[in-house]
Amino acid sequence: MRADREFVYGATAGLAGDLLLGDPRRGHPVAAFGRAAGAVEHVLWRDHRGWGALHTAVCAGGAAGAAAVLARGVRGRGRASVALIAAATWAVVGGTSLGREARAIGGALAAGDVDVARERLPHLCGRDPQALDEQQIARAVVESVAENTSDAVVGALVWGAVAGVPGLVGFRAVNTLDAMVGHKSAKYRRFGWASARLDDVAGWPGARLTAGLAVLAGGDARGAVRAWRADAKKHPSPNAGPVEAAFAGALGVRLGGTLSYGGRVEHRPVLNSTGRPVEFGDIERAVRLSRRVGWLTLATCAAGRLAGHALRARRAGKGRG
């Protein structure tokens, strides 16, 4: 079986597995990686960028290297290769769990139970829930759905299409490291610098594809393009900016504004200022948009792999001629 078809079959099976099963409640491979990365951090932590870069190289490089060894072991064995790609895809994507958490918070808000919504919010993002009212919680959920569509689904599939199982695993490792040490706290400002910068680089193509597909799959393509062009660069994150702006425009809502992380207040620019305030009903719309973007990403990546094989075969045929 050709490698491009192995990726298409495996990635499709893995994404379907995520849709049907979601993340395992126990023994998740990403959680195991997080524990291992934490152990490495315990040994290597110094308030220094160089030591942080070493931590990033050991953890992300080790994960991608182990995945490469596994992929090499099943190379040329069609069914085994498809199974490995499917398992890796299911392990690294998290679209279904993302949607479940978002919907749980939306359901609590719809029932008027703000305390439950606040209790569940940390499962989705790192904001201080006690300082948020109903509208701010809904806004936080929509923003998290948008950003995590890129991080937990699209980016992984893009790197899987480019580099197979090592790409899938390596991207998720980098993204997990950024969540662990890439934030600007006093402890990680220097040590986490390398993880944050590598995540910016690795997330760049997936974020632009996510924004572009949100334009196609959302309800207001013109509004999504307008918000993307006008507001994406205002966001402090080079990758969250395009994604959140495009989602805001597609859904017709305003995102951004004041928020709080770990007691640190940030005043972010408003995205899609002509939109209306977020309501709890917009959470379901955001989840549906996220799912459409995920499946469109799979189709895009599959088409890219198949087209790449056809182009290489054509060049090889011309070379022999």
Side-chain angles (χ1 to χ4, degrees):
M1 189 185 301
R2 293 190 335 226
D4 57 325
R5 291 182 178 176
E6 291 174 356
F7 170 78
V8 173
Y9 297 153
T12 302
L15 200 59
D18 176 66
L19 177 64
L20 295 173
L21 304 174
D23 291 334
R25 295 187 180 276
R26 296 181 180 179
H28 197 297
V30 175
F33 169 80
R35 290 191 294 270
V40 174
E41 178 193 340
H42 182 73
V43 174
L44 295 181
W45 187 89
R46 307 288 189 283
D47 190 16
H48 191 277
R49 285 185 176 183
W51 285 94
L54 178 60
H55 174 258
T56 302
V58 169
C59 295
V69 170
L70 290 174
R72 182 174 297 179
V74 298
R75 184 177 297 169
R77 298 164 54 192
R79 291 182 179 178
S81 182
V82 169
L84 179 61
I85 294 168
T89 301
W90 171 73
V92 303
V93 301
T96 295
S97 294
L98 171 66
R100 286 175 181 171
E101 290 294 339
R103 282 170 167 152
I105 298 171
L109 292 176
D113 199 336
V114 182
D115 289 337
V116 170
R118 289 187 178 123
E119 182 180 342
R120 297 196 67 96
L121 187 62
H123 293 254
L124 196 63
C125 64
R127 301 185 191 181
D128 298 331
Q130 299 306 320
L132 304 180
D133 60 21
E134 294 181 27
Q135 191 277 325
Q136 290 169 326
I137 292 173
R139 192 193 82 197
V141 172
V142 171
E143 290 172 354
S144 295
V145 168
E147 184 175 359
N148 283 295
T149 299
S150 177
D151 289 343
V153 182
V154 179
L157 291 174
V158 167
W159 281 104
V162 171
V165 173
L168 286 164
V169 173
F171 174 81
R172 190 57 191 269
V174 169
N175 188 249
T176 302
L177 287 176
D178 178 62
M180 293 176 66
V181 304
H183 42 86
K184 295 180 179 180
S185 65
K187 181 177 180 179
Y188 294 122
R189 188 176 299 276
R190 294 185 181 87
F191 184 82
W193 178 87
S195 291
R197 298 290 79 74
L198 183 58
D199 183 67
D200 286 344
V201 173
W204 195 95
R208 274 72 194 167
L209 180 58
T210 303
L213 294 178
V215 171
L216 296 177
D220 185 354
R222 188 172 297 178
V225 171
R226 183 175 61 249
W228 181 4
R229 294 180 61 183
D231 299 329
K233 292 183 179 180
K234 299 176 183 178
H235 198 286
S237 168
N239 294 330
V243 173
E244 290 186 19
F247 264 66
L251 297 172
V253 300
R254 290 198 306 270
L255 299 179
T258 302
L259 49 84
S260 176
Y261 286 101
R264 185 182 75 255
V265 176
E266 294 185 14
H267 301 283
R268 293 185 178 177
V270 173
L271 307 177
N272 192 38
S273 59
T274 59
R276 58 173 174 76
V278 179
E279 302 170 352
F280 66 79
D282 295 315
I283 294 175
E284 177 63 28
R285 297 175 62 224
V287 170
R288 291 179 180 177
L289 176 57
S290 173
R291 180 161 293 181
R292 291 194 296 271
V293 167
W295 285 103
L296 285 173
T297 299
L298 177 64
T300 302
C301 292
R305 284 294 297 257
L306 295 172
H309 173 82
L311 181 60
R312 289 190 297 271
R314 182 178 300 177
R315 289 177 176 174
K318 290 182 178 180
R320 288 192 297 268

